[in-house]
Amino acid sequence: MRLNDLLTHTSEWLKGTGPHSDIVISSRLRLARNIDKQPFPHWSSKKQSKSTLEACREAAGKSDLIRKMTIFVLEDLDTVDKQFLVERHLMSYEHAQKTNSKAVIVDEDEVVSVMINEEDHIRAQVMQSGFNLPEAWNVINKVDDALAKELNYAFSPEWGYLTACPTNAGTGMRGSVMLHLPALVMTRQINQVLAAIAKLSFTTRGLYGEGTQATGNFFQISNQVSLGQSETDIIQNINNLIRQIIEQESQCRETLMNSNRGMLEDKISRSFGILKSAHIITSQETTELLSLVRLGCDLGIIKDINRRHVNELFLLIQPAHLQKIENKKLTSQERDIKRAELIRSKLSK
Amino acid sequence: MICDICGKNPATVHLTEIIDDQMNELHLCEECAHKKSAQMEQQFGLSDLLAGLAGFEKQKDEKEGIALKCPNCGMTFKDFKKIGRLGCGECYAAFRSFLGPLLKRIHGSNLHCGKAPGSRIAKLTRRKIEPGETRAAPGQDTVAELRIRLQKAVEAEAYEEAARLRDRIKELERTAHQEGKKE
Ligand SMILES: [Zn+2]
Ligand SMILES: [Zn+2]
């Protein structure tokens, strides 16, 4: 698989299917793993980082499961390509920054990705569409077993998997669920919900990770505690919390539909109208408007476009994606024009 | 420089925060920094971590901590305090007396009870979870497994964890008893 092949391809997690996919965009699990005795990436010499990469690459090559995936060595990629992988959530923003024997292994469906030499030697991630952490666990557990067969992990029976930051020790597992909560935001109940989440030692962040601001009514909720609970306990705790939030968002949507249907239809249709007719548009504005269009699809107010296409647009309108589609570097002004063009063509179909 | 949050006032406070695995630089005005710090107290960021360490140092002999050094990678405790990241897996053993309480502070427990690498078996948690399942399926945490964990917890002097496990065992035994009656 080449990097450009991803462009013509919808990531599995964006398909808009899976349990509760009207409210839950995706479910993600990641495991942090390190090689025994090898200094962590930030504390490694160039030579040591290189040997980490080689060890991981060799381990991946020996596994039937991972061998068929594609490895991208970041030194071989330009800035746009790296940004492209970040926008697709295949690697972190941090991972794209410095290049010191960093790599990412990606499977064709973009369900599995394995970052090498990020904060830890290995950060394996599995993304599923909709509310489906248990399936993500089934997949990531196999990936982890495959790597553990070949690599000797830094592990203590008492403290579990040993990670660069003590906040990840234990299971090394972080579960994140991406939620779309426009009704809770519109009715101003979201702050109460977020405050309750923070008290339970979960964190919330926005769609693209940077900063804490949530654009487009997207919220990513993750567990903080990784030690002292088993993987299944952690998943169950997240599931219980997410279920409550889904319930609250559903109720809010219902209330809005019953009491403010006219206002809602107006807001959604106007957003759709702007997207269909704009000639210059920023990614921020697009995300806000698409959020309402997505809600319109979920509520049956907009019928001529389906959720999957809206999801795809969220991905395609980002800077690196636009530049990959045009196959050249674009300034921010040029992107705003190309973005509007792309949206008009996709929505008029 | 203008505040990152309100976009109006000049930024006078500069923070580094870590959320999940992202490190962010924040430049804030006084007012927003105040609100933010209240919010950050509920998260385990770098500042919390180091504040935690400072707390332990008062209890421990400060010089003792500063002199610690990992024999495998050469990281000193001072390095760790500055960077907020350990140097290698062996650092955990080298800084053990500080990390035990720190882990407990961060996670509410300092006893692992999840998966272990295949060769060092503890297959207790290797079980397929069905999609949509929220509660422990029957037979997941068997009383026998919990007793092993309880014993481990007591050995490690993790008494809160031990109490939690003891309650869970009691609960399981009670439901098993009731189910037995029903049948
Ligand atoms: Zn401000
Ligand atoms: Zn070390």
Side-chain angles (χ1 to χ4, degrees), chain A residues 245-260:
Chain A
I245 302 171
I246 292 173
E247 181 59 30
Q248 284 174 317
E249 169 70 17
S250 303
Q251 275 176 12
C252 253
R253 287 185 184 187
E254 214 181 298
T255 314
L256 279 174
M257 279 296 268
N258 291 335
S259 58
N260 280 304

Side-chain angles (χ1 to χ4, degrees), chain A residues 40 42-43 119-120 123 163-169, chain B residues 16-18 20 23 44-54 75-88 91-92 95 99 102-103 106:
Chain A
F40 296 140
H42 78 96
W43 200 244
E119 184 182 293
D120 294 295
R123 286 275 177 106
T163 51
C165 186
T167 53
N168 295 313
Chain B
T16 304
E17 77 172 348
I18 296 171
D20 194 10
M23 197 183 296
F44 302 108
L46 186 61
S47 57
D48 193 45
L49 192 76
L50 296 181
L53 281 176
M75 179 173 271
T76 63
F77 188 68
K78 206 174 155 193
D79 292 329
F80 170 58
K81 258 187 64 190
K82 199 168 85 195
I83 306 171
R85 298 282 186 280
L86 293 147
C88 74
C91 288
Y92 279 84
F95 309 146
L99 281 175
L102 178 66
L103 286 168
I106 295 171

Side-chain angles (χ1 to χ4, degrees), chain A residues 44-102:
Chain A
S44 277
S45 66
K46 277 205 167 138
K47 211 174 136 200
Q48 285 166 331
S49 294
K50 217 172 159 188
S51 80
T52 302
L53 175 58
E54 285 319 311
C56 294
R57 202 207 276 262
E58 207 186 308
K62 283 186 185 154
S63 147
D64 291 337
L65 179 66
I66 305 171
R67 193 170 39 221
K68 50 184 192 245
M69 302 179 190
T70 308
I71 182 163
F72 297 108
V73 176
L74 299 197
E75 270 138 35
D76 303 340
L77 301 183
D78 66 21
T79 321
V80 173
D81 285 344
K82 283 189 269 186
Q83 184 58 32
F84 177 74
L85 291 169
V86 174
E87 288 176 1
R88 295 184 85 81
H89 291 220
L90 292 170
M91 65 184 208
S92 66
Y93 175 77
E94 270 294 299
H95 201 49
Q97 301 314 304
K98 279 169 268 157
T99 52
N100 203 357
S101 297
K102 287 172 187 254

